[in-house]
Amino acid sequence: MGGNCWTDTGPYQEDLAAAFRRAQAEELAADDHGFGAGRTAEELWCDPDWQEYILTGGTGSVLDFPLMIDATDPDDGPFLRPLTEAEIRAFAPGGRPTFAEWDAALDDERLDFPDRAQGRCTVLYTDGEPTAIGYWGCTAD
């Protein structure tokens, strides 16, 4: 089996880790995947049944990752990683990608989907101002 690629956006916050946790909370509020309402993503990741659920299928969302790693950390494990400045400038030379630039870069493969059980994120801009976070990844299955 191969993983399923997915994309999503969430609200902008200067602290990308806080934005990630907020996106996870919003995703859980929309669908708890049968694991009981009221639990945080952090709590779910302590549950072996949740871990098995994610690592054998996943949600195709920010819930597939227990935490965000630094942009320069190696890519192994089910983690979300922000893009480096060089990775951003490779598809958005001005360094402030719009939703349209991000979407087009994913469509024409100037911006790759990560390996299975990995995710990426980047800030998206409107009129030069940060307005959203773009998330994308691949499930573990």
Side-chain angles (χ1 to χ4, degrees):
M1 277 197 254
N4 295 312
C5 295
W6 57 270
T7 64
D8 200 1
T9 59
Y12 171 74
Q13 287 183 242
E14 187 174 351
D15 180 338
L16 292 181
F20 167 58
R21 290 289 179 221
R22 179 178 174 185
Q24 286 184 313
E26 290 176 2
E27 185 68 28
L28 274 174
D31 184 356
D32 68 12
H33 299 271
F35 281 85
R39 295 170 72 187
T40 67
E42 292 150 324
E43 291 168 334
L44 287 171
W45 272 98
C46 292
D47 180 341
D49 290 335
W50 176 261
Q51 293 173 25
E52 181 177 350
Y53 178 72
I54 296 299
L55 297 176
T56 60
T59 66
S61 76
V62 292
L63 295 175
D64 290 351
F65 313 108
L67 57 95
M68 177 183 288
I69 59 174
D70 186 79
T72 59
D73 282 348
D75 296 331
D76 54 351
F79 303 119
L80 182 72
R81 180 180 68 76
L83 294 184
T84 64
E85 186 68 23
E87 289 170 323
I88 293 167
R89 290 190 179 276
F91 78 94
R96 292 180 177 243
T98 64
F99 177 86
E101 287 176 311
W102 171 69
D103 194 44
L106 287 167
D107 283 345
D108 66 19
E109 298 179 359
R110 287 177 292 133
L111 186 57
D112 291 330
F113 278 87
D115 291 335
R116 289 174 27 189
Q118 296 177 14
R120 301 286 181 270
C121 69
T122 194
V123 176
L124 302 176
Y125 296 79
T126 303
D127 298 325
E129 296 297 320
T131 54
I133 308 287
Y135 299 98
W136 68 104
C138 191
T139 60
D141 63 336

